[in-house]
Amino acid sequence: MFIVCNQSSLKECLGIVSRVVPSRPTHPILGNVLLVAKENKLTLTGFDLSIGIKSSIECKVSVEGEITLPAKLFTDIINRLPDGDIFISIEDIELENPMVEIRSSSGVFYLRGVLAEEYPELPTAQENSFDLPVTPLIEGLKGTLFASATDETKQILTGVHITAKDNILEFASTDGHRLAVVKPSLEEETIIDDFELTIPNKALKEVLNIVANKETITLFSANNQLVFATDTTQLFCRSLDGGYPNYRQLLPNKFERNFNINRKTLIESLERISVFNDNKNTLVQFLLNDNDTINVSSDAKELGNARLIIPVELVVGQIRIGFNVKYLIEGLKAMNSQNIRFSMNESEQPVIITPVSGQQMTYLVMPVRIQD
Amino acid sequence: MFIVCNQSSLKECLGIVSRVVPSRPTHPILGNVLLVAKENKLTLTGFDLSIGIKSSIECKVSVEGEITLPAKLFTDIINRLPDGDIFISIEDIELENPMVEIRSSSGVFYLRGVLAEEYPELPTAQENSFDLPVTPLIEGLKGTLFASATDETKQILTGVHITAKDNILEFASTDGHRLAVVKPSLEEETIIDDFELTIPNKALKEVLNIVANKETITLFSANNQLVFATDTTQLFCRSLDGGYPNYRQLLPNKFERNFNINRKTLIESLERISVFNDNKNTLVQFLLNDNDTINVSSDAKELGNARLIIPVELVVGQIRIGFNVKYLIEGLKAMNSQNIRFSMNESEQPVIITPVSGQQMTYLVMPVRIQD
């Protein structure tokens, strides 16, 4: 192998690929990135056996070849080199662990590689393909990813459920305490074939990375193997098996109590009030018994307490209701509307928060019982 | 107590004082800050029994009084409040742990306090006083603090030795592996009385914080008690007992080998080369056998190695010599001259690095033996 590539392109590509390389790999080879130089392209691959990313940059290939290099060291070296040409070559490919020479204007690094044949093959899926426009994909993911479960034992709930039906895209996620549903608006001429998949949130976070500056991405699906592909990058993952909860039936459609509130003001107040609890699981109490303001308070018993008053509008009914402040803040931050609407029935029943304008998002939060 | 003060002034003052409040106090009361409201001033105090800071802001005092509050919670609350007036009052001072009300335009916080009488008295020193101009003080501290010992068992070496004699200020610090000596230039009319003190580096780091935007600071010294005082802030600490090593005799005055090198280029190269070692204690080897360039290399055995070539000037002699890369980088970063000079004798003897122009700084580094 002997190639010449550009430092900033290689740095960007390595940045995308190395994110999935595990810092404590189960097999040592998975701590490496695979480099394949072929037909004026350098393709890098990172893979943790559940998510794999393969991304290419253009480069001058004088001698084709392949090798794997320790991901962290290789990234550290490339990131610190000056912008400009980088020459990568292998000294003696006959060796089991050949030295790879990385030469730039500032000097030369030698890094010990491992032969590419030891690197596992990335699965592929090339059957059913769906072209997805990137803007609504980003909107859907940003509005739902935060509400999916992080606890791996919750299996299907660690994914985001994506449905395309009759040219309507819907994203949903829940961890059992809250549920986020987003229907991004599509441009009129967009046509999306019907599909229904639950995709691991870890993989979707990486999808957000690979679509930056792209317009469309193609999703290939075969059995439970998925590939997200842009012109330069492919991301492999597996869809989550099992039926996704029928979340639509959880959404109440009649409400006895409502109010509108400025989203940013409420976020600021909730952040102030969460001062009493480091892990942000503070219980916050809303007291609505006035048509102009709502009383937001938290009580940290021995330490102290706080009480903030926030203007509200279009008030219907009165209520005293408790929330986990973290769930509220995360949901409010995923919205972008200036004002939001709280819709409620009783203080133990699910609460629905929706943006007043713009974004089609529904956020359901289970209240927390207030101890008297 | 009932006072009205400004959020941003209080935030800044708390920021200075709370830095010395221990996060795991040996006595619970030391986790608090002391608030004293008197004569249109609010004075805050933080103290960990070795370093204490007392700082004041102007405020409207309607009722004088004093109380202590948990430093972290109080800081978190004040930092998150909007700029503007903050009203602080005590509900019932008869109680052992009275509630303190903190009211702003956005609402009200109640924080449980502890009576001020439980807070320890800060020692004072008001005998010998020395006025120090701030600019040379900062120059001296920034050029030496990094080279003092962080290991508390090294006692006297955890301080910076400051000497004022015949109107010359000299700062020195060493951890046994390297030595930094700085003589900041003074304006002609400056007069400083003679003194000689070794002051803990922890306290001097805080001194750097309290002198921001000040022109002079007064140092009071009585026995081993020291107070640094500006118009708004006093910092208390103790000087370190015991004789400071006679460092001047360690500085060689004749050299057989020399070269000049661009400081920034060398820092960049050393940072690149330290990629092979996470804790930055990499051994780096300099090979000087040419009049135009120096060969800087590091060998991480199994992982790989690196070799960078850097232009040099005014070369005298040849040498192969090893350094701890961390000591070099820290020293070079404390300098500000464009070019620096390395002066050496044999490869086991101390090396002197000096800025070629500007700053009067001498940095001595002990070389590391190179294993063949």
Side-chain angles (χ1 to χ4, degrees):
Chain A
M1 181 162 94
F2 185 84
I3 62 169
V4 190
C5 63
N6 173 269
Q7 187 265 350
S8 58
S9 317
L10 180 56
K11 178 179 167 183
E12 191 187 331
C13 187
L14 250 178
I16 290 173
V17 166
S18 62
R19 287 174 53 94
V20 295
V21 175
S23 51
R24 288 175 191 179
T26 47
H27 310 287
I29 189 79
L30 296 177
N32 284 17
V33 284
L34 171 66
L35 287 78
V36 178
K38 205 174 167 185
E39 292 166 8
N40 290 324
K41 255 193 196 171
L42 171 66
T43 303
L44 304 180
T45 305
F47 189 31
D48 70 0
L49 297 184
S50 74
I51 304 172
I53 299 183
K54 192 182 272 204
S55 189
S56 303
I57 55 169
E58 287 185 25
C59 73
K60 191 172 175 320
V61 177
S62 301
V63 180
E64 295 189 341
E66 49 185 46
I67 191 75
T68 78
L69 289 175
K72 191 179 171 319
L73 264 180
F74 185 44
T75 308
D76 284 351
I77 290 172
I78 298 303
N79 286 355
R80 293 174 199 208
L81 291 183
D83 194 9
D85 283 347
I86 295 182
F87 299 76
I88 300 178
S89 57
I90 303 179
E91 290 217 316
D92 188 352
I93 193 70
E94 299 301 309
L95 290 174
E96 198 181 333
N97 294 307
M99 274 293 189
V100 177
E101 182 182 295
I102 303 163
R103 184 178 288 274
S104 76
S105 61
S106 83
V108 58
F109 285 83
Y110 292 92
L111 201 50
R112 200 170 289 284
V114 176
L115 293 187
E117 60 203 49
E118 294 191 27
Y119 199 83
E121 197 68 40
L122 233 68
T124 52
Q126 290 185 323
E127 292 176 34
N128 314 307
S129 78
F130 309 92
D131 285 332
L132 292 174
V134 162
T135 311
L137 176 67
I138 293 176
E139 184 186 337
L141 293 180
K142 289 203 170 159
T144 52
L145 268 173
F146 73 95
S148 60
T150 47
D151 177 356
E152 290 296 327
T153 63
K154 291 201 173 180
Q155 300 184 1
I156 190 89
L157 299 189
T158 61
V160 172
H161 189 72
I162 308 180
T163 318
K165 203 179 172 199
D166 303 335
N167 243 23
I168 293 173
L169 257 184
E170 185 170 291
F171 295 74
S173 69
T174 176
D175 62 2
H177 303 288
R178 67 278 186 55
L179 161 70
V181 183
V182 176
K183 286 186 202 172
S185 56
L186 299 178
E187 295 200 13
E188 262 185 43
E189 65 270 29
T190 312
I191 294 172
I192 301 177
D193 292 326
D194 289 2
F195 71 87
E196 188 164 2
L197 288 166
T198 307
I199 306 176
N201 53 22
K202 279 191 187 162
L204 290 171
K205 280 174 195 158
E206 300 308 323
V207 168
L208 277 181
N209 262 309
I210 70 171
V211 296
N213 307 319
K214 307 288 178 187
E215 285 195 357
T216 58
I217 188 167
T218 306
L219 169 58
F220 295 93
S221 145
N223 300 319
N224 70 341
Q225 302 197 335
L226 303 177
V227 174
F228 287 89
T230 71
D231 51 345
T232 53
T233 306
Q234 289 109 52
L235 179 143
F236 159 84
C237 66
R238 287 187 189 83
S239 62
L240 290 165
D241 286 333
Y244 200 77
N246 181 3
Y247 58 87
R248 289 183 194 88
Q249 74 180 16
L250 301 174
L251 300 170
N253 46 25
K254 279 178 73 180
F255 300 100
E256 290 167 24
R257 297 168 175 90
N258 295 287
F259 65 87
N260 284 15
I261 191 166
N262 181 285
R263 189 177 62 91
K264 280 201 181 150
T265 308
L266 181 55
I267 293 176
E268 276 174 20
S269 302
L270 293 172
E271 285 179 336
R272 272 176 200 145
I273 232 167
S274 55
V275 74
F276 283 117
N277 200 317
D278 277 344
N279 66 21
K280 300 240 173 125
N281 282 320
T282 319
L283 168 73
V284 64
Q285 176 182 303
F286 282 35
L287 182 65
L288 180 73
N289 60 5
D290 174 312
N291 286 330
D292 294 326
T293 58
I294 186 170
N295 194 318
V296 176
S297 62
S298 112
D299 189 354
K301 311 278 179 243
E302 277 316 293
L303 293 172
N305 59 73
R307 195 174 69 233
L308 308 178
I309 290 165
I310 309 171
V312 288
E313 281 183 342
L314 304 175
V315 174
V316 177
Q318 303 188 337
I319 197 167
R320 179 163 162 265
I321 189 167
F323 295 102
N324 177 322
V325 76
K326 180 187 157 202
Y327 294 158
L328 286 188
I329 291 177
E330 286 184 357
L332 297 179
K333 286 194 170 171
M335 301 178 184
N336 53 30
S337 151
Q338 189 183 349
N339 292 303
I340 50 168
R341 184 156 187 81
F342 275 71
S343 305
M344 298 155 286
N345 289 304
E346 301 302 324
S347 63
E348 300 92 41
Q349 294 177 332
V351 171
I352 299 293
I353 309 173
T354 46
V356 166
S357 58
Q359 219 180 2
Q360 273 235 47
M361 173 165 174
T362 306
Y363 187 51
L364 178 152
V365 185
M366 284 308 296
V368 181
R369 214 173 132 205
I370 300 165
Q371 314 270 334
D372 284 302
Chain B
M1 182 162 94
F2 185 83
I3 61 169
V4 190
C5 62
N6 173 269
Q7 185 266 346
S8 58
S9 316
L10 181 55
K11 179 180 165 183
E12 192 187 329
C13 186
L14 250 178
I16 289 173
V17 167
S18 63
R19 287 175 53 95
V20 294
V21 175
S23 50
R24 289 174 191 180
T26 46
H27 310 287
I29 190 78
L30 296 178
N32 284 17
V33 283
L34 170 67
L35 287 79
V36 178
K38 205 175 167 184
E39 293 166 7
N40 289 325
K41 255 193 197 173
L42 172 66
T43 303
L44 304 179
T45 306
F47 188 30
D48 70 358
L49 298 185
S50 74
I51 305 173
I53 299 183
K54 192 183 271 205
S55 189
S56 303
I57 55 170
E58 288 186 22
C59 73
K60 190 173 177 319
V61 178
S62 302
V63 180
E64 293 188 343
E66 48 186 45
I67 190 75
T68 78
L69 289 174
K72 191 179 173 317
L73 264 180
F74 185 44
T75 308
D76 283 351
I77 290 172
I78 299 303
N79 287 355
R80 292 174 200 209
L81 291 183
D83 195 10
D85 283 346
I86 296 182
F87 299 76
I88 301 178
S89 57
I90 302 179
E91 291 217 315
D92 188 352
I93 194 70
E94 299 301 309
L95 289 174
E96 197 182 333
N97 294 306
M99 273 294 190
V100 176
E101 182 182 295
I102 302 162
R103 184 178 288 275
S104 76
S105 61
S106 82
V108 59
F109 284 83
Y110 292 92
L111 200 51
R112 200 169 290 282
V114 175
L115 293 187
E117 60 203 49
E118 295 191 27
Y119 199 83
E121 198 68 42
L122 232 68
T124 51
Q126 290 184 325
E127 294 177 33
N128 313 308
S129 79
F130 309 91
D131 286 332
L132 291 174
V134 162
T135 311
L137 176 67
I138 294 177
E139 185 186 336
L141 292 180
K142 289 203 170 161
T144 52
L145 267 173
F146 73 95
S148 62
T150 47
D151 177 356
E152 290 297 326
T153 62
K154 292 201 172 179
Q155 301 183 2
I156 190 90
L157 300 189
T158 61
V160 172
H161 188 73
I162 308 180
T163 320
K165 203 179 173 201
D166 302 335
N167 242 23
I168 293 174
L169 256 185
E170 184 170 291
F171 295 74
S173 70
T174 175
D175 62 2
H177 303 288
R178 66 267 181 71
L179 160 71
V181 183
V182 176
K183 285 186 202 169
S185 55
L186 300 177
E187 294 198 15
E188 263 185 43
E189 65 271 29
T190 312
I191 294 172
I192 302 177
D193 292 327
D194 289 1
F195 71 87
E196 188 164 1
L197 288 166
T198 307
I199 306 175
N201 53 21
K202 279 189 188 163
L204 290 171
K205 280 176 195 158
E206 300 308 323
V207 168
L208 277 181
N209 263 310
I210 70 172
V211 296
N213 307 318
K214 308 287 179 190
E215 284 194 0
T216 57
I217 188 166
T218 307
L219 170 56
F220 296 92
S221 145
N223 299 320
N224 70 341
Q225 302 197 336
L226 302 177
V227 174
F228 287 89
T230 71
D231 51 346
T232 53
T233 306
Q234 290 109 54
L235 179 143
F236 159 83
C237 66
R238 286 185 190 85
S239 62
L240 290 165
D241 287 333
Y244 199 77
N246 180 3
Y247 58 87
R248 289 183 194 89
Q249 74 181 16
L250 300 174
L251 300 171
N253 46 24
K254 278 178 75 179
F255 300 101
E256 290 166 25
R257 299 170 175 88
N258 294 287
F259 64 89
N260 284 16
I261 191 165
N262 181 285
R263 189 177 62 90
K264 281 201 180 150
T265 308
L266 181 56
I267 292 176
E268 276 173 19
S269 301
L270 293 172
E271 284 179 336
R272 273 177 199 142
I273 233 168
S274 56
V275 74
F276 283 116
N277 200 318
D278 277 344
N279 65 21
K280 299 238 173 126
N281 282 321
T282 319
L283 168 73
V284 64
Q285 177 183 306
F286 282 34
L287 183 65
L288 181 73
N289 59 4
D290 174 312
N291 286 331
D292 294 325
T293 58
I294 186 170
N295 194 317
V296 176
S297 62
S298 113
D299 189 352
K301 312 278 181 243
E302 277 314 295
L303 294 172
N305 60 73
R307 196 175 67 235
L308 308 179
I309 290 165
I310 309 172
V312 287
E313 281 181 344
L314 304 175
V315 175
V316 177
Q318 303 190 336
I319 198 167
R320 179 161 162 267
I321 190 168
F323 296 101
N324 177 323
V325 75
K326 180 186 156 202
Y327 294 159
L328 286 187
I329 291 177
E330 286 184 357
L332 297 178
K333 285 192 170 171
M335 301 178 184
N336 54 29
S337 149
Q338 190 183 348
N339 293 304
I340 50 169
R341 184 155 187 81
F342 275 72
S343 306
M344 298 156 287
N345 288 304
E346 301 303 323
S347 63
E348 299 92 42
Q349 294 177 333
V351 171
I352 299 293
I353 308 173
T354 45
V356 166
S357 58
Q359 215 181 2
Q360 271 235 48
M361 173 165 174
T362 306
Y363 187 49
L364 177 153
V365 185
M366 284 308 296
V368 180
R369 211 171 135 208
I370 299 165
Q371 314 271 334
D372 284 301

